[in-house]
């Protein structure tokens, strides 16, 4: 089985798993869910680290570094602001 | 250790990271466990990053670390400084960066693979094209959404003649260029039409793809109005995940595919929920240019008599009620009146009045926006009830206090001829008394009049929500 096909299996199954867990998140927490999910989409950082690490030409390095900066803003900012929000959800 | 076994260890670590992501999201299903869930997801991310750095031969640590530190600092500052009312625009910006990062990685891969000078395999070419396309659309679309939410770009739908035709044409161009990049035969055919060779068109075609995708992102978001932003932000969230997943296909990295598809699913579910909460299709939100007033015959407001009250009268009604349900809308966020509102509620509770909140799914500018504002104002989360939970309760509610909401409490949604027909609303008109705190009688986003304002049981409490709420604090204290 080709790598693409395995990737497709993983993609479909992970989407279904995601659907299951996410549909149980109550409306009260939809904003933190969204900003948390947002931080997770910064996983592109992994890709940016790989290409920058392998960079052999200046353009690849520039694009890779740009990718790292954008993705890190997304990851660090996303998780931190989600935490800031969630610590406000208190029961009195 | 040889390289093969380190690669296996890295893959297993990615698997662990994927499990942590899923279980972290699962913990978001309750406010009591949500914070630990987010921390778990962030640990999953950290694990994935560390594994990636150790597993790959990093040639230039200086560049990598400098970029991480720069991005991290910007992220910290943004996350700390942002006002809760501005969360939707922050999420939009982060989304855009996520998409932009995916596109940048795909572009770097394209260059590394020879920049089109050597033919790419179809599967590889296709994933590079998809990742670039979705990433760039997410980037520019999110920046426009940010501009609209921040008030830099008008919140009204921007429409012009032949807009849909232009979008369709642009989409077609992007598809053709994409096909030319992804498929060698298609690329050669296009090149011969243009009087060039397949290998020479690589870079120009790629730049055309990026430019086309960026333009498409702008054009797709610009005709969508402010109150439809919850749908747009959800959809862009989904795209940023899909872009990351596509990048995973490019690099053959399962971690990216898994995390990307989780986000894609989250965004898609929220998009569906938001559309359902407005009883509109995604196509209608995306292309309907709702809120221009084209669809609605703008009702003449203010010709029918209303009962208006001042703070003292409103305070009396509230203070002597047994049960109060507060319905917050975007107007509350605009006026930043959530803290004063909470003070009013505290005073009422001290008097023994039961106070709860009824929150409509599309209140605010992103899903769950109102809940975050109320949580910030220290309202206990068990008092925040959603549409299905609160609707059966209105019948037995003494007073409903509506703060800056309009369309979501408009009973004309039950009228099949209304523009908002079938939209699930909060049944506030079933309560004994309704107090509407609002600046004026002007219609909401849907551009239609609201019969609720003219009911005998409705008291209109006009003015700026923050000032009026401060008045109310004083008056309830004295009541």
């Amino acid at each position: 089985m080709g790598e693409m096909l395995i990737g497709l299996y993983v993609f479909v199954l992970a989407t279904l798993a995601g659907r299951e867990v996410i549909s149980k998140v109550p409306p009260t927490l939809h904003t933190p869910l969204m900003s948390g999910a947002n931080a997770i989409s910064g996983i592109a950082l992994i890709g940016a680290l790989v290409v920058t690490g392998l960079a052999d030409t200046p353009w690849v390095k520039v694009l890779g570094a740009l990718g790292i900066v954008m993705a890190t803003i997304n990851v660090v900012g996303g998780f931190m602001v989600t935490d800031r929000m969630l610590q406000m959800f208190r029961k009195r | 250790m040889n390289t093969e076994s380190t690669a296996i260890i890295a893959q297993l670590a990615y698997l662990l990271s994927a499990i942590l992501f899923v279980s972290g999201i699962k913990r978001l299903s309750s406010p009591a466990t949500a914070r630990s869930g987010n921390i778990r997801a962030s640990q999953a991310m950290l694990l994935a990053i560390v594994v990636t750095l150790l597993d790959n031969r990093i040639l230039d640590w200086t560049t990598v670390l400098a970029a991480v530190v720069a991005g991290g600092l910007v992220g910290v500052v943004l996350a700390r400084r942002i006002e809760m009312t501005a969360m939707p625009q922050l999420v939009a910006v982060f989304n855009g960066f996520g998409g932009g990062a995916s596109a940048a990685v795909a572009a770097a891969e394209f260059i590394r693979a020879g920049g089109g000078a050597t033919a790419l395999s179809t599967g590889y070419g296709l994933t590079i094209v998809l990742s670039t396309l979705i990433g760039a659309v997410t980037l520019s679309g999110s920046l426009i959404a940010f501009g609209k939410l921040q008030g830099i770009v008008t919140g009204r739908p921007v429409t012009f003649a032949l807009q849909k035709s232009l979008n369709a044409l642009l989409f077609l161009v992007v598809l053709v260029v994409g096909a030319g990049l992804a498929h060698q035969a298609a690329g050669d055919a296009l090149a011969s039409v243009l009087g060039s060779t397949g290998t020479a068109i690589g870079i120009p075609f790629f730049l055309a793809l990026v430019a086309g995708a960026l333009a498409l992102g702008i054009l797709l978001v610009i005709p969508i109005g402010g109150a439809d932003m919850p749908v747009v932000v959800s959809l862009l969230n989904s795209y940023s995940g899909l872009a990351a997943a596509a990048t995973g296909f490019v690099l053959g990295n399962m971690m990216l595919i898994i995390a990307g598809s989780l986000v894609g699913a989250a965004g898609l579910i929220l998009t569906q929920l938001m559309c359902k909460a407005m009883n509109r299709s995604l196509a209608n939100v995306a292309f309907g240019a709702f809120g221009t007033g084209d669809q609605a015959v703008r009702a003449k407001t203010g010709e029918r008599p209303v009962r208006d009250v001042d703070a003292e009268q409103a305070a009396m009604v509230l203070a002597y009620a047994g049960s109060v349900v507060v319905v917050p809308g975007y107007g509350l966020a605009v006026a930043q009146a959530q803290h004063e509102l909470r003070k009013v509620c505290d005073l009422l509770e001290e008097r023994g009045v039961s106070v709860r909140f009824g929150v409509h799914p599309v209140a605010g500018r992103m899903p769950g926006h109102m809940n975050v504002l109320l949580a910030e104002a220290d309202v206990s989360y068990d008092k925040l009830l959603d549409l299905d939970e609160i609707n059966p309760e209105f019948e037995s509610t003494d007073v409903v206090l509506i703060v800056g909401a309009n369309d979501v409490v408009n009973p004309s949604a039950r009228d099949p001829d209304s523009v908002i027909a079938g939209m699930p609303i909060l049944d506030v008109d079933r309560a004994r008394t309704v107090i509407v705190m609002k600046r004026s009688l002007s219609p909401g986003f849907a551009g239609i009049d609201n019969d609720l304002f003219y009911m005998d049981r409705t008291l209109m409490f006009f003015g700026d929500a923050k000032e009026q709420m401060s008045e109310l604090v004083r008056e309830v204290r004295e009541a």
Side-chain angles (χ1 to χ4, degrees):
Chain A
M1 198 157 56
E3 198 170 56
M4 285 286 165
L5 215 49
I6 298 173
L8 194 62
Y9 267 77
V10 171
F11 177 73
V12 172
L13 292 175
T15 304
L16 292 175
R19 239 194 120 74
E20 280 308 304
V21 283
I22 292 152
S23 55
K24 293 192 177 67
V25 176
T28 312
L29 292 175
H30 277 168
T31 294
L33 167 68
M34 182 163 272
S35 81
N38 203 338
I40 296 176
S41 77
I43 192 76
L45 175 58
I46 304 290
L49 291 173
V50 173
V51 290
T52 313
L54 296 171
D56 40 12
T57 62
W59 273 111
V60 174
K61 196 178 280 184
V62 168
L63 285 167
L66 187 68
I68 295 180
V69 173
M70 287 197 281
T72 318
I73 294 175
N74 189 0
V75 168
V76 174
F79 281 122
M80 274 188 67
V81 84
T82 308
D83 187 64
R84 218 185 109 193
M85 270 190 274
L86 287 173
Q87 72 184 35
M88 299 185 315
F89 280 87
R90 275 189 299 261
K91 196 168 173 176
R92 284 191 298 161
Chain B
M1 250 187 311
N2 59 36
T3 39
E4 197 182 336
S5 57
T6 38
I8 290 173
I9 291 170
Q11 289 303 320
L12 291 176
Y14 278 156
L15 182 62
L16 176 63
S17 169
I19 293 168
L20 288 173
F21 273 131
V22 175
S23 73
I25 295 176
K26 198 169 155 57
R27 292 182 79 82
L28 281 177
S29 56
S30 155
T33 55
R35 198 175 173 201
S36 69
N38 180 58
I39 290 170
R40 188 171 291 187
S42 67
Q43 289 163 342
M45 182 66 78
L46 187 64
L47 175 63
I49 293 169
V50 171
V51 167
T52 306
L53 287 175
L54 294 180
D55 182 45
N56 288 276
R57 207 158 43 91
I58 306 289
L59 299 173
D60 182 358
W61 279 98
T62 323
T63 306
V64 167
L65 292 180
V68 167
V69 169
L73 282 177
V74 175
V76 169
V77 171
L78 286 176
R80 290 222 170 152
R81 288 240 176 120
I82 197 77
E83 295 272 349
M84 285 299 139
T85 41
M87 268 314 291
Q89 43 273 55
L90 183 71
V91 168
V93 167
F94 285 164
N95 255 330
F97 286 158
S102 294
V105 172
E109 271 295 291
F110 180 71
I111 296 174
R112 245 168 46 80
T118 47
L120 307 172
S121 75
T122 305
Y124 186 61
L126 181 69
T127 54
I128 286 189
V129 167
L130 275 180
S131 163
T132 310
L133 174 63
I134 306 173
V137 166
T138 311
L139 175 62
S140 63
S142 298
L143 291 181
I144 294 294
F146 162 79
K148 281 189 173 243
L149 291 161
Q150 186 71 29
I152 302 169
V153 181
T154 172
R156 289 242 154 238
V158 176
T159 53
F160 49 85
L162 297 177
Q163 189 170 27
K164 282 173 200 167
S165 316
L166 179 67
N167 286 357
L169 184 70
L170 195 59
F171 190 63
L172 196 69
V173 169
V174 166
L175 276 188
V176 170
V177 171
L181 284 166
H183 195 273
Q184 199 193 345
D188 289 341
L190 278 170
S192 65
V193 171
L194 295 171
S196 178
T197 60
T199 50
I201 60 166
I203 296 285
F205 262 45
F206 193 81
L207 291 176
L209 177 73
V210 173
L214 289 174
L216 205 56
I218 295 171
L219 287 169
L220 286 175
V221 175
I222 207 118
I224 303 177
D228 286 343
M229 278 299 147
V231 180
V232 177
V233 177
S234 306
L235 199 60
L236 289 168
N237 194 36
S238 177
Y239 286 173
S240 71
L242 292 178
T247 309
F249 279 96
V250 173
L251 300 170
N253 186 314
M254 295 300 157
M255 187 71 249
L256 277 161
I257 298 179
I258 293 172
S261 49
L262 287 176
V263 181
L268 214 56
I269 288 174
L270 290 172
T271 307
Q272 285 169 343
L273 284 175
M274 293 303 111
C275 286
K276 209 174 125 204
M278 295 193 293
N279 191 40
R280 287 164 55 203
S281 67
L282 181 56
N284 181 287
V285 174
F287 304 114
F290 203 73
T292 45
D294 294 349
Q295 304 92 336
V297 182
R298 278 195 179 271
K300 289 181 185 67
T301 54
E303 286 179 0
R304 287 187 278 170
V306 295
R307 292 173 65 190
D308 63 342
V309 289
D310 60 16
E312 191 186 347
Q313 291 163 300
M316 283 299 170
V317 175
L318 288 166
Y320 292 97
S323 56
V324 170
V325 172
V326 180
V327 173
Y330 186 57
L332 176 78
V334 174
Q336 300 262 25
Q338 65 271 30
H339 298 279
E340 280 74 14
L341 172 62
R342 202 255 309 151
K343 280 181 206 154
V344 172
C345 296
D346 283 353
L347 288 169
L348 290 175
E349 284 184 324
E350 278 168 29
R351 300 180 62 102
V353 182
S354 132
V355 181
R356 286 176 301 174
F357 294 78
V359 185
H360 193 277
V362 293
R365 288 294 185 260
M366 73 183 292
H369 192 188
M370 287 300 127
N371 296 291
V372 170
L373 290 188
L374 293 170
E376 185 201 13
D378 223 8
V379 173
S380 176
Y381 62 74
D382 56 347
K383 292 190 184 123
L384 307 174
L385 304 181
D386 64 34
L387 191 80
D388 297 332
E389 291 169 320
I390 198 72
N391 263 347
E393 307 281 324
F394 283 118
E395 205 109 359
S396 55
T397 299
D398 291 330
V399 183
V400 169
L401 175 64
I402 298 170
V403 190
N406 193 345
D407 294 334
V408 297
V409 292
N410 193 335
S412 76
R414 297 184 201 122
D415 171 4
D417 296 326
S418 167
V419 277
I420 58 165
M423 170 169 156
I425 53 162
L426 291 157
D427 296 324
V428 293
D429 55 330
R430 302 207 164 129
R432 277 176 210 114
T433 305
V434 180
I435 300 178
V436 181
M437 188 181 268
K438 210 174 168 306
R439 297 185 75 96
S440 68
L441 277 175
S442 63
F445 185 66
I448 51 170
D449 205 0
N450 193 337
D451 286 338
L452 180 76
F453 302 159
Y454 310 100
M455 291 193 328
D456 288 343
R457 284 172 287 158
T458 304
L459 308 171
M460 298 302 292
F461 181 21
F462 291 115
D464 173 74
K466 194 167 185 172
E467 285 165 24
Q468 298 294 60
M469 208 56 91
S470 311
E471 282 283 306
L472 211 48
V473 173
R474 268 193 297 280
E475 296 295 342
V476 172
R477 202 170 271 151
E478 284 167 17

